[in-house]
Amino acid sequence: MSDANLITVAEAPDVSGRSRSLAGDAWADLRRNKIFWISAVLVVVILLMAFVPSLFTSADPGACALSNKHKGPSGGAIFGYDFQGCDVFARTIYGTRASIEVGILSTLMAGLLGLIFGLSAGYFGGTTDAVLSRVTDIMLGVPFLLGAVVFSGRLSGSEDDGVWAVTLTLGVLTWTSAARVMRSSVIAVKSQDYVAAGRMLGASPGRLMFRHILPNSMASFIVVLTILLGTNIAAEATLSYLGVGLKGDAVSWGLQIAEAQDYARIAAHPLIWPSVFLAATVLAFIMLGDAIRDAFDPKLR
Amino acid sequence: MFRYIVRRLLQMILTFFGATFVVFALMFANQDDPIQALVGEKQASDSLRAALTERYHLDEGFLTQYWYYMKGLLTGDLGKSLTGRDISEMLADAWPVTIRLALLAVLIAAAIAVTTGVYAGIRRGGLFDNGTLLMTLLLLAMPIVVLAPLAQLVFAMELRWFPATTTKDATPYELLLPAIVLATTVIATQLRVTRTSVVENLRADYVRTARAKGLAPRRVTWVHVLRNSLIPVITLIGVDLGVLMSGAIVTEEVFNIPGVGFNLARGIRTEDGPLVVGFVSVLVIIFLVVNLAVDLLYAALDPRIRYE
Amino acid sequence: MTDIKATMDALPGLDHRAPLLQIDDLHVEFRTRDGVAKAVNGASFWLSPGETLAILGESGCGKSVTAQAIMGILESPPGHITAGEIRYRGVDLLKLPEVQRRKVRANRIAMIFQDALSALNPVYTVGFQLAELFRVHRGMSRSDARNRAVDLLDQVKIPGARSRVNDYPHQFSGGMRQRVMIAMALALDPEVLIADEPTTALDVTVQAQIMGLLAELQRQRNMGLILITHDMGVVADVADRISVMYAGRVVEEAPVHDIYARPGHPYTRALLESIPRLDLKGRQLNVIRGLPPALTDIPRGCAFNPRCRYAKDPCRQDPAPPAYAIAPHRTARCHFFREVLGE
């Protein structure tokens, strides 16, 4: 195999080409990646829908008239009306906000928990690592949706629309993957020469952690979080669908799907559109995560 | 091998107590009024309050509560649902159809994921590979709440290829569409892992040796590469079971399959706390046992672990 | 399937009087996204029964690629054989349909690899991997094939062969694993054995044992052995002839004693001078200046010219030096071989 190896070495860019940082290489790679651009544009549009829904529709998602019940698409409401006579397009657009809010907040929470757990387990090693890894194992011992059903069931008594309950549930139950990735990349970075050199030169643990280890562990961490954002949005919809997520007057794709499903035989459009938006949103974030990972870890392509 | 099994068993026991404790804590810990949590937004009558207090030993300390809860779990006594039915009996009634659904889903998923993954791995970078990658991306992006209702709408209601719902003793045909839906929740990851693993193994030196031995490409792939590539896929089965359980809740609800997931979904909707906690606890135990079995299977497949 | 001799005799152009193995002007290139790497650029050599030919060169000189081309196990893409012939007993292997080519592998030409741990399949017992040869190529029953596997392990002197046949590769020591590899290569009684750095990954004492075993088995079976190595010490002990490769070409070919006594190519000479020698202790070691060329960008003329102390203008111009016959049975691709020989 030595010859084959040599050939790759011979073809690798020369030293001057290598002086570009990993991040620089990754960005150059991303810029040429169509999937990255498609997902990035989708994400921007989704964020706009979430925070400035009035850009996309002038209709009021709360203004429903039973006389419009199950009417098909028309000039005013291009996706038609649902069983309560609400404008499906308007509700779908306004439903973006709940999904994105829950998705971002719960991912931030999971990310923070994962960062704390993973960083300390990886950095301190030994007993700390053993204990924290066992805790992670135990959390992984409860399949996500089962834990979420019990947990948000108990939080459900509250009067609000459930955004905080769902966020808390998702955050508490989904940090494990982030923690594992953080831990293993911290361990990998920690054993590298320049970190050992830093330690020998007397850099404090805090400085080592935040100046050397953290930045180098960030890439894979961000990838995991991007994908987690997508799956958490899907999870919110599932919880809402099952009746333990967002509730009451909340406008949410999961709720829309649950309501429309009972009438799918009569009118399919109220079921189809929120489904399409939900899938597209999840897809956008997963694709984005995939593209970033490919850029940072090109060897598996 | 013996040391490996013992170590895994010890870990399993720890995880077992940990995970059941987590479920229990999620339900009861730091709760102002645990009874209200069990019955949801309904008004709890005094007699119901008394019954639940006795059942969950709510008048005692938290750890004592957990102790009684564990005792009930291990002796198969799951108590009664708010509707007064025995939860163990409900489970016993619901199991058979769920197991059939899950097995069918697992078979479909494994068959498609492994064959497609291997071919995609062999033809890495080709049209088939890129097409498959795109498909898995789409599948990954399809939450079960999108997939199940849409599949029912398109394939059962519009095209009428399958029945939209199942009868009490569901036939394999009736279960086929739900099983496909359920399978899609795990196919994408299984396929990707198979593909990546095949790609990596095809580069391995032992593949060159196998070719130098004058073996046909088919034998090299399906005997030498496959066995090595399946090792990481096997470990996925454990994780996948959790995904399947979650998926079954929605799928059985959508297709009206009277299994465990269906009952659980009903329990969630009617805010039947005892039923939800009971079902979830049993599912968690099954999940852990299967994961242990998977680890042992993993050791059987990878001799390097067996002799560690 | 079972009668391998009949199958082999049916190979088109088979001539038992033709040389055992003859490689002629072999060219191999790797076409990758970043360009074309010319790994082998006109390698030629031959091998007779019972003879040991050492192919010597630094890593990247194309010796392993040549071996893989002979075996027909080049990864393709990216590897492509663009020109040349590989003849076994007169049969041009490159023109053979893949099905027949496969029969030649292991049956007539076998190979052992450098790192036996990664070259053996980790998830099958060595017994399975040995027996597989008999089952696939000879159609033997499971138990017969297994008995043959035990025999083979005995032949390569693995103690307790009958029980060890059920062990997995990682349960063997490095030396024992390489013995398993040798057993596997010899299973079907090949006439040519290619050993690609067979001892590089081993301890020095084990190296000697393995080389001894190889030499012994070779004598017993009158096999032709191609020994690929970068270790001039190993070569001196076992080889009959040496082909020195540089940048994908055989730059010098000679009987082993001649080459040690009087190298005919500056590269060979530099290689010899870079070996630490006890009698020259205390003097500075001559190392070869510079690096082997990148295979994507091989110098014009003689590929060695940028590192060569004899190089003059003709060396820097195409065509590359031809294979001068510098003595009986000796060739060197150097315009100034006389100076190098010290005449």
Side-chain angles (χ1 to χ4, degrees):
Chain A
M1 211 58 217
S2 56
D3 288 73
N5 285 338
L6 197 108
I7 287 155
T8 29
V9 171
E11 286 162 0
D14 58 12
V15 185
S16 63
R18 272 201 195 157
S19 61
R20 259 189 316 179
S21 65
L22 177 63
D25 274 345
W27 170 235
D29 220 71
L30 272 182
R31 265 192 321 207
R32 277 184 279 118
N33 188 344
K34 262 183 255 142
I35 297 222
F36 168 73
W37 285 113
I38 296 171
S39 52
V41 168
L42 258 176
V43 165
V44 170
V45 172
I46 291 162
L47 289 179
L48 278 177
M49 284 193 318
F51 296 108
V52 211
S54 50
L55 276 182
F56 297 84
T57 176
S58 50
D60 177 358
C64 310
L66 273 175
S67 56
N68 283 333
K69 180 173 178 170
H70 287 149
K71 265 194 192 163
S74 62
I78 54 173
F79 292 171
Y81 296 90
D82 67 9
F83 78 108
Q84 286 177 317
C86 307
D87 181 335
V88 173
F89 180 69
R91 281 188 85 81
T92 307
I93 292 288
Y94 276 86
T96 317
R97 171 174 289 179
S99 291
I100 292 295
E101 254 177 27
V102 171
I104 291 180
L105 291 175
S106 62
T107 305
L108 284 179
M109 189 189 278
L112 194 65
L113 284 170
L115 189 76
I116 295 169
F117 273 71
L119 208 56
S120 7
Y123 186 81
F124 296 109
T127 321
T128 317
D129 184 21
V131 171
L132 292 180
S133 292
R134 281 290 85 73
V135 173
T136 316
D137 278 353
I138 287 170
M139 290 307 289
L140 288 170
V142 183
F144 162 71
L145 194 62
L146 297 181
V149 157
V150 175
F151 193 35
S152 38
R154 93 166 237 198
L155 293 171
S156 70
S158 42
E159 294 298 309
D160 61 51
D161 55 3
V163 166
W164 278 107
V166 179
T167 302
L168 195 66
T169 309
L170 293 176
V172 167
L173 291 173
T174 59
W175 55 268
T176 44
S177 55
R180 288 204 152 179
V181 165
M182 198 67 209
R183 172 179 172 273
S184 52
S185 57
V186 167
I187 289 175
V189 172
K190 197 172 73 168
S191 62
Q192 271 167 18
D193 291 343
Y194 66 91
V195 176
R199 194 177 297 129
M200 265 185 290
L201 290 173
S204 73
R207 186 184 161 79
L208 270 179
M209 194 114 103
F210 288 102
R211 291 301 291 273
H212 294 290
I213 296 182
L214 205 49
N216 280 291
S217 311
M218 261 327 182
S220 42
F221 188 64
I222 287 170
V223 170
V224 170
L225 289 193
T226 314
I227 292 172
L228 187 63
L229 184 52
T231 52
N232 274 357
I233 288 172
E236 178 274 312
T238 308
L239 287 177
S240 300
Y241 175 89
L242 287 174
V244 280
L246 305 183
K247 49 196 52 173
D249 297 336
V251 187
S252 146
W253 295 330
L255 286 174
Q256 274 184 286
I257 293 171
E259 285 161 1
Q261 196 215 323
D262 296 338
Y263 305 93
R265 240 179 250 273
I266 309 159
H269 50 270
L271 172 63
I272 292 172
W273 290 111
S275 299
V276 168
F277 273 61
L278 174 56
T281 306
V282 179
L283 182 66
F285 285 106
I286 293 183
M287 275 197 329
L288 189 64
D290 250 28
I292 300 176
R293 171 170 48 213
D294 280 353
F296 276 97
D297 183 18
K299 73 169 183 287
L300 285 182
R301 237 174 304 153
Chain B
M1 182 67 168
F2 180 71
R3 276 184 54 195
Y4 175 78
I5 294 179
V6 169
R7 204 175 61 212
R8 285 296 300 124
L9 273 175
L10 287 177
Q11 275 177 10
M12 151 94 186
I13 290 169
L14 183 69
T15 317
F16 174 78
F17 283 104
T20 46
F21 187 79
V22 167
V23 171
F24 191 75
L26 286 178
M27 191 69 205
F28 292 106
N30 200 19
Q31 187 85 28
D32 296 334
D33 184 0
I35 290 180
Q36 206 58 55
L38 279 169
V39 300
E41 283 165 28
K42 290 189 284 285
Q43 268 308 325
S45 68
D46 285 345
S47 60
L48 183 59
R49 277 186 173 275
L52 288 173
T53 308
E54 196 200 324
R55 166 69 203 161
Y56 292 101
H57 302 270
L58 296 176
D59 44 0
E60 298 181 54
F62 183 68
L63 285 176
T64 323
Q65 292 173 23
Y66 175 65
W67 163 250
Y68 280 112
Y69 158 80
M70 282 307 296
K71 202 170 129 192
L73 265 185
L74 293 174
T75 54
D77 172 20
L78 300 171
K80 287 189 166 33
S81 77
L82 290 185
T83 52
R85 289 189 61 192
D86 188 76
I87 296 175
S88 310
E89 270 172 30
M90 293 178 77
L91 259 175
D93 283 349
W95 269 125
V97 65
T98 299
I99 288 180
R100 269 187 291 156
L101 176 69
L103 279 182
L104 201 55
V106 167
L107 283 180
I108 294 171
I112 296 179
V114 170
T115 45
T116 320
V118 169
Y119 278 113
I122 296 172
R123 314 228 171 287
R124 183 167 70 105
L127 196 64
F128 182 77
D129 184 28
N130 284 327
T132 323
L133 277 184
L134 197 68
M135 280 303 299
T136 56
L137 204 55
L138 290 175
L139 283 183
L140 280 175
M142 288 282 199
I144 187 84
V145 288
V146 168
L147 216 51
L150 281 189
Q152 188 189 40
L153 177 68
V154 174
F155 297 109
M157 292 176 187
E158 298 297 324
L159 297 172
R160 297 185 175 278
W161 291 351
F162 301 94
T165 54
T166 57
T167 46
K168 169 77 180 146
D169 30 33
T171 61
Y173 171 62
E174 285 174 332
L175 287 179
L176 194 55
L177 183 59
I180 294 172
V181 167
L182 198 51
T184 52
T185 59
V186 291
I187 277 183
T189 4
Q190 279 184 7
L191 199 157
R192 283 183 163 205
V193 171
T194 310
R195 174 195 171 273
T196 310
S197 171
V198 164
V199 167
E200 279 173 1
N201 274 292
L202 278 174
R203 289 196 203 126
D205 286 357
Y206 71 80
V207 170
R208 207 179 45 188
T209 313
R211 291 166 63 214
K213 281 161 83 178
L215 304 180
R218 218 179 310 144
R219 186 171 171 93
V220 175
T221 307
W222 296 102
V223 174
H224 285 268
V225 172
L226 188 65
R227 178 94 171 249
N228 280 282
S229 305
L230 281 188
I231 291 170
V233 183
I234 295 289
T235 58
L236 266 188
I237 293 178
V239 185
D240 282 350
L241 183 72
V243 178
L244 285 177
M245 283 176 172
S246 306
I249 301 176
V250 176
T251 310
E252 292 191 351
E253 159 94 352
V254 168
F255 290 95
N256 266 306
I257 303 166
V260 176
F262 180 82
N263 279 291
L264 189 48
R266 280 295 131 95
I268 295 165
R269 279 211 198 291
T270 55
E271 302 188 310
D272 190 333
L275 183 132
V276 171
V277 172
F279 269 53
V280 166
S281 307
V282 172
L283 287 176
V284 166
I285 292 172
I286 292 167
F287 179 69
L288 292 174
V289 170
V290 170
N291 268 287
L292 179 72
V294 165
D295 277 354
L296 299 183
L297 181 64
Y298 179 60
L301 268 183
D302 190 343
R304 281 163 297 188
I305 293 207
R306 208 181 307 165
Y307 292 95
E308 215 171 51
Chain C
M1 188 87 151
T2 31
D3 195 352
I4 189 66
K5 188 151 187 334
T7 320
M8 286 296 137
D9 283 345
L11 291 177
L14 186 79
D15 177 0
H16 286 289
R17 284 157 304 169
L20 177 58
L21 189 68
Q22 178 142 28
I23 281 73
D24 236 339
D25 196 32
L26 183 69
H27 284 73
V28 182
E29 60 185 39
F30 289 88
R31 296 171 193 155
T32 67
R33 245 198 303 178
D34 308 306
V36 176
K38 301 197 164 171
V40 181
N41 304 294
S44 306
F45 52 85
W46 81 95
L47 180 75
S48 313
E51 178 190 44
T52 300
L53 170 71
I55 298 186
L56 192 74
E58 295 165 280
S59 36
C61 71
K63 52 194 198 300
S64 290
V65 176
T66 306
Q68 288 176 25
I70 297 172
M71 286 304 291
I73 55 170
L74 262 186
E75 199 73 45
S76 178
H80 297 270
I81 296 174
T82 50
E85 287 180 347
I86 298 171
R87 288 187 182 276
Y88 155 78
R89 295 276 185 214
V91 182
D92 190 346
L93 296 181
L94 297 180
K95 294 211 173 69
L96 226 48
E98 177 57 25
V99 180
Q100 284 183 309
R101 186 83 195 271
R102 217 146 59 212
K103 296 260 160 59
V104 175
R105 271 178 227 150
N107 275 304
R108 287 298 178 259
I109 308 177
M111 184 162 175
I112 59 183
F113 298 94
Q114 174 177 341
D115 180 9
L117 180 58
S118 61
L120 293 169
N121 194 326
V123 300
Y124 290 104
T125 63
V126 300
F128 175 92
Q129 296 181 59
L130 283 165
E132 184 179 34
L133 284 160
F134 298 109
R135 291 173 55 75
V136 169
H137 287 278
R138 299 284 190 267
M140 277 189 196
S141 73
R142 208 174 279 269
S143 60
D144 286 352
R146 191 151 203 91
N147 288 334
R148 292 295 298 270
V150 176
D151 287 350
L152 277 168
L153 293 183
D154 258 338
Q155 280 182 44
V156 294
K157 297 175 182 146
I158 290 180
R162 190 152 288 280
S163 61
R164 298 231 71 184
V165 75
N166 295 321
D167 284 352
Y168 290 89
H170 68 275
Q171 293 171 276
F172 289 81
S173 69
M176 287 297 148
R177 235 171 354 236
Q178 196 54 278
R179 284 169 196 263
V180 173
M181 271 255 81
I182 294 173
M184 200 178 287
L186 297 183
L188 304 179
D189 300 313
E191 293 174 77
V192 179
L193 178 63
I194 304 173
D196 188 357
E197 308 259 10
T199 60
T200 308
L202 303 174
D203 290 342
V204 183
T205 48
V206 183
Q207 274 185 14
Q209 290 168 10
I210 295 289
M211 286 314 301
L213 175 71
L214 265 180
E216 184 187 330
L217 290 166
Q218 183 200 13
R219 223 172 355 201
Q220 285 169 8
R221 296 159 177 250
N222 199 31
M223 270 186 317
L225 173 65
I226 296 180
L227 180 66
I228 292 171
T229 183
H230 63 266
D231 186 342
M232 301 216 52
V234 171
V235 170
D237 295 335
V238 296
D240 300 309
R241 281 187 302 120
I242 293 186
S243 288
V244 181
M245 282 190 78
Y246 187 80
R249 274 199 192 90
V250 175
V251 293
E252 178 167 10
E253 186 165 19
V256 67
H257 298 296
D258 297 357
I259 226 169
Y260 276 86
R262 275 200 324 162
H265 192 281
Y267 177 60
T268 318
R269 193 183 181 115
L271 277 180
L272 285 170
E273 283 170 355
S274 64
I275 304 176
R277 275 164 50 183
L278 229 47
D279 53 322
L280 297 179
K281 200 176 165 195
R283 268 198 262 167
Q284 193 174 1
L285 206 58
N286 271 315
V287 292
I288 311 178
R289 287 180 295 148
L291 292 169
L295 296 174
T296 41
D297 185 23
I298 294 174
R300 288 154 63 89
C302 173
F304 189 60
N305 82 67
R307 304 168 75 186
C308 181
R309 66 187 117 134
Y310 299 90
K312 298 192 177 66
D313 274 347
C315 304
R316 297 183 189 99
Q317 272 145 35
D318 281 337
Y324 294 103
I326 62 173
H329 311 297
R330 287 193 70 174
T331 58
R333 286 179 181 270
C334 177
H335 296 306
F336 303 102
F337 65 89
R338 284 189 187 82
E339 277 180 52
V340 182
L341 286 168
E343 282 170 11

